[in-house]
């Protein structure tokens, strides 16, 4: 039966893939991958020979209609991103919405995503939280930070290493340097690390130890 499968892939440690994910990726007619070179290494490791097509943020608007047609014709297709769960700060939303509009069945598998372990091990309240993903680089950044300064729930961000200190500095300016923060990097990988403290303390840490890897920032809400 034609179906779109949204399949999470490991964010670092390959052992975090599920048996069900491997089974689905072997059985579908096609795998849509954000970067076929990156995903090719994963598929090779698990001896998955299913054909791949590229599906990323730069071409997803152009490829959605073709993918929907293939699904209507009876193919089963899996969507994966380079790491983690599709559509979480990665392509996936447009295709999912198009499938819903066309009455195509969708199945999302549970699995790896970076912000959940970062939130849970932060030590900050996690009964209520807001996931912001990546902040706007320029336009809208100030407006967003001004709005979030009043947020009482725990806030989660993604950030790259070369922008980490700039973003933390902005947090200090808008949220206050004494706001608590937890910064996790390289989750599930060999050099996984979490730094906790006030914003000023964490800025000091990464000023003395240049940031490397991919980061999840968890900020306490306003009290």
């Amino acid at each position: 039966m034609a179906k779109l499968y949204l399949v999470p892939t490991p964010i670092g440690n390959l052992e975090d893939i599920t048996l069900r994910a491997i089974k689905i990726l072997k059985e579908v007619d096609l795998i849509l991958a954000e970067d076929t070179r990156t995903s090719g290494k994963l598929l090779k490791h698990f001896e998955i020979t299913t054909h791949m097509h590229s599906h990323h943020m730069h071409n997803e608007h152009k490829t959605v209609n073709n993918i929907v047609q293939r699904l209507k014709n009876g193919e089963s297709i899996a969507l994966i991103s380079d790491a983690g769960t599709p559509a979480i700060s990665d392509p996936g939303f447009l295709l999912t919405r198009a499938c819903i509009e066309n009455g195509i069945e969708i199945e999302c598998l549970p699995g790896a995503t970076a912000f959940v372990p970062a939130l849970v091990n932060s030590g900050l309240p996690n009964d209520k939280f807001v996931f912001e993903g990546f902040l706007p680089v320029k336009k809208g950044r100030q407006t967003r930070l001004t709005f979030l300064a009043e947020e009482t729930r725990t806030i989660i961000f993604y950030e790259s290493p070369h922008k980490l200190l700039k973003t933390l500095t902005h947090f200090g300016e808008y949220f206050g340097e004494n706001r608590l923060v937890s910064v996790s990097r390289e989750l599930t990988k060999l050099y996984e690390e979490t730094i906790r403290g006030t914003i000023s303390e964490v800025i000091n840490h990464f000023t003395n130890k240049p940031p490397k890897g991919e980061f999840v920032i968890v900020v306490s809400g306003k009290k």
Side-chain angles (χ1 to χ4, degrees):
M1 181 185 295
K3 184 186 290 189
L4 174 68
Y5 293 93
L6 305 173
V7 182
T9 55
I11 60 175
N13 192 323
L14 293 182
E15 293 182 0
D16 290 337
I17 198 167
T18 66
L19 295 175
R20 183 177 168 208
I22 295 172
K23 180 176 183 290
I24 293 295
L25 292 176
K26 287 183 176 181
E27 292 179 349
V28 293
D29 299 303
L30 175 68
I31 296 173
L32 301 174
E34 190 176 359
D35 186 328
T36 55
R37 294 166 299 180
T38 299
S39 296
K41 298 174 184 176
L42 176 73
L43 300 192
K44 183 178 179 180
H45 181 83
F46 290 106
E47 299 179 344
I48 298 168
T49 59
T50 307
H51 187 64
M52 283 190 294
H53 276 183
S54 178
H55 182 80
H56 49 74
M57 62 179 295
H58 301 295
N59 74 354
E60 59 180 336
H61 288 84
K62 299 177 182 178
T63 59
V64 163
N65 290 337
N66 177 258
I67 295 166
V68 167
Q69 190 58 53
R70 294 184 67 158
L71 286 160
K72 284 184 174 181
N73 291 340
E75 292 188 56
S76 58
I77 298 176
L79 173 65
I80 61 176
S81 62
D82 286 348
T85 301
I88 305 297
S89 292
D90 279 321
F93 163 70
L94 290 177
L95 180 56
T96 300
R97 181 177 64 182
C99 287
I100 292 170
E101 292 172 347
N102 284 273
I104 297 168
E105 189 175 356
I106 304 166
E107 188 171 329
C108 182
L109 278 63
T113 190
F115 78 80
V116 173
L119 171 63
V120 173
N121 74 21
S122 70
L124 298 173
N126 52 37
D127 55 332
K128 295 181 177 66
F129 61 89
V130 180
F131 175 70
E132 283 290 315
F134 290 96
L135 281 168
V137 177
K138 294 181 180 179
K139 186 177 180 181
R141 188 180 182 92
Q142 182 178 349
T143 301
R144 195 65 195 161
L145 287 170
T146 300
F147 174 80
L148 291 172
E150 301 301 315
E151 177 59 65
T152 58
R153 294 167 292 183
T154 300
I155 317 168
I156 306 168
F157 302 89
Y158 285 165
E159 194 51 277
S160 59
H162 65 281
K163 295 179 182 176
L164 179 68
L165 277 170
K166 179 181 178 180
T167 294
L168 289 172
T169 300
H170 286 162
F171 288 171
E173 294 170 357
Y174 286 87
F175 304 158
E177 292 187 347
N178 291 322
R179 186 81 71 92
L180 293 177
V181 63
S182 174
V183 179
S184 295
R185 72 178 191 94
E186 297 293 85
L187 288 166
T188 79
K189 300 177 184 177
L190 182 61
Y191 297 106
E192 176 178 337
E193 179 182 39
T194 296
I195 305 300
R196 306 174 184 87
T198 64
I199 290 175
S200 61
E201 289 170 341
V202 174
I203 288 174
N204 184 62
H205 171 86
F206 286 110
T207 299
N208 296 319
K209 186 178 180 181
K212 296 179 181 180
E214 298 301 316
F215 290 83
V216 182
I217 309 172
V218 184
V219 184
S220 60
K222 181 180 180 181
K223 294 184 179 179

